[in-house]
Amino acid sequence: MMVAARRIEADDSEVRYEFGFEDSFDRILLIDARTLEARVGDGDFNAAASAITAKIVKAWRSNGEFPARMIFAS
């Protein structure tokens, strides 16, 4: 499975990413910038959403900022 994400919007309270398989960014991921709680626009927080969220949060913890792009491949 390869999931890619790109940040489309960020402010002090929420970060929004488009994500999907390969380069098909057909879903929206929303991460609370304070709590790091994540949800998806369509309500289906599946394995792909979980995997890319984990990578994004790990990058945030390492660098102190949300990455512009992220890829998860297994």
Side-chain angles (χ1 to χ4, degrees), residues 8-22:
I8 55 173
E9 190 176 338
D11 59 33
D12 292 340
S13 62
E14 188 172 73
V15 182
R16 295 171 53 96
Y17 284 88
E18 293 176 319
F19 78 104
F21 293 105
E22 304 292 328

Side-chain angles (χ1 to χ4, degrees), residues 4-65:
R6 63 181 171 208
R7 190 180 65 223
I8 55 173
E9 190 176 338
D11 59 33
D12 292 340
S13 62
E14 188 172 73
V15 182
R16 295 171 53 96
Y17 284 88
E18 293 176 319
F19 78 104
F21 293 105
E22 304 292 328
D23 282 333
S24 175
F25 300 103
D26 59 348
R27 299 184 68 200
I28 300 293
L29 173 69
L30 304 110
I31 301 175
D32 185 302
R34 294 181 196 106
T35 66
L36 301 180
E37 184 177 319
R39 68 188 197 290
V40 292
D42 63 10
D44 182 18
F45 199 85
N46 60 12
S50 179
I52 201 68
T53 299
K55 290 283 286 195
I56 291 168
V57 169
K58 184 177 180 181
W60 177 85
R61 288 183 173 142
S62 293
N63 304 329
E65 60 187 36

